Amino acid sequence: MRSHPEKLPVVVGVDEDPESVVALRWAAEEAAATSKELVVVHAFEWLTAVARLGRDDHDFPLYGEHADPSARTQYVRHAEGLLETAAGIVAETGTGVGVSTKNIEGRPFEVLSDEARDASLLVLGSHGRGLLGRMLLGSVSNAIASDPPCPVAVIRPHTRAVPVEVTDMPVVVGFDATAASHAALAYAAEHAALRGATLVVVHAFQPVGQRAAGSVAGQTARRAELLRDHVAPFVKDHPALKVTCIVTEKRAAQSLVEWSTAARLVVVGTSGRRSHTGSVSQAVLHHSWSPVAVVPEP
């Protein structure tokens, strides 16, 4: 268990894609709202890039072979310039957040996963490409969010940072009474409370057809009562928090994606089972219109 998570920084990964700027600004707002330091990380693989200069597969040097030692210096300088630009963008946000930068040689997935182990939140851009656009995630974002070492926020290219003073956009969280969804609910409640936003808790279920289960309306009412019981402790912790509980017969992913069109953030839990490709968290990550925070099971 990580000690004193409230003291850990917000970490954001950046590269040369425009999506990084969107994620960077969102991360700066998040760090400011939570009074945390912002750590901007860039991972570079200069040897891989050098290898790709070959004309065909036979020209590729082995990974780790120093074909041109001077090339590494050029890549380091380029990466440092990128980080300097990133720090300038954070300053332009006017959040006043403290910023530090890290230029780390290594594969992005490994570097960012390691940095996330000492972070309160890891922020990543989604590198959607092609005709499917927003429905595609970059491989790094998708892989880390599938088994996150800390809460991970994935930011869409069209996302705009929402200032703290904007309170009419809710924080939406999916809840199914699992340990992962309890962790997601705790994260969402704190996020909403800090911003004075409404917390919308969505519980999806498929009605049971047997007569003994009662009417659909009766099943819905019982689920709603149980949902309020689960939410009650979080309301007690945040007395000013406004909460709306939603029980729906729609599929969880469908309902959360629909809510994402008006949400400032959608929060989902994950147990970290990468093979569970049909999970709600993966579906929401690939289709949400808003930023998505994936919270790991404790």
Side-chain angles (χ1 to χ4, degrees), residues 75-255:
Y75 276 95
V76 170
R77 288 176 179 171
H78 177 76
E80 289 175 346
L82 188 152
L83 287 171
E84 184 177 348
T85 298
I89 291 172
V90 173
E92 291 171 0
T93 64
T95 55
V97 66
V99 184
S100 62
T101 61
K102 290 186 177 183
N103 187 25
I104 303 174
E105 183 174 351
R107 299 182 181 184
F109 170 78
E110 295 171 354
V111 168
L112 292 170
S113 294
D114 286 343
E115 291 298 312
R117 292 185 176 91
D118 292 315
S120 62
L121 175 70
L122 174 65
V123 182
L124 302 170
S126 64
H127 300 326
R129 294 289 185 267
L131 295 176
L132 294 180
R134 71 179 184 87
M135 295 172 64
L136 295 177
L137 283 179
S139 59
V140 174
S141 298
N142 191 43
I144 294 177
S146 296
D147 188 14
C150 74
V152 173
V154 178
I155 313 302
R156 292 292 179 182
H158 56 269
T159 298
R160 298 181 65 181
V162 181
V164 176
E165 59 268 19
V166 176
T167 60
D168 59 350
M169 296 177 69
V171 175
V172 180
V173 59
F175 185 81
D176 62 3
T178 60
S181 71
H182 270 97
L185 177 57
Y187 181 90
E190 182 174 0
H191 189 98
L194 280 172
R195 292 154 184 81
T198 297
L199 175 66
V200 176
V201 186
V202 178
H203 173 68
F205 83 108
Q206 295 299 306
V208 179
Q210 287 85 351
R211 180 178 298 179
S215 66
V216 173
Q219 293 180 51
T220 301
R222 288 193 294 275
R223 296 256 177 175
E225 183 177 358
L226 289 171
L227 181 58
R228 288 191 292 270
D229 289 342
H230 281 291
V231 172
F234 299 96
V235 176
K236 185 177 180 180
D237 290 340
H238 306 286
L241 182 63
K242 296 167 287 186
V243 180
T244 299
C245 292
I246 303 292
V247 177
T248 177
E249 297 172 44
K250 294 180 180 179
R251 294 188 179 278
Q254 177 189 352
S255 185

Side-chain angles (χ1 to χ4, degrees), residues 240-282:
L241 182 63
K242 296 167 287 186
V243 180
T244 299
C245 292
I246 303 292
V247 177
T248 177
E249 297 172 44
K250 294 180 180 179
R251 294 188 179 278
Q254 177 189 352
S255 185
L256 292 172
V257 169
E258 289 176 357
W259 273 101
S260 75
T261 60
R264 67 185 301 139
L265 179 70
V266 172
V267 184
V268 291
T270 180
S271 61
R273 295 190 297 271
R274 293 189 184 183
S275 60
H276 193 32
T277 55
S279 69
V280 172
S281 60
Q282 285 294 305

Side-chain angles (χ1 to χ4, degrees), residues 43-53 63-76 105-106:
F44 71 100
E45 287 186 274
W46 77 275
L47 289 176
T48 300
V50 170
R52 289 172 182 163
L53 295 178
Y63 186 84
E65 179 183 340
H66 289 250
D68 181 4
S70 66
R72 184 182 185 281
T73 300
Q74 298 175 20
Y75 276 95
V76 170
E105 183 174 351

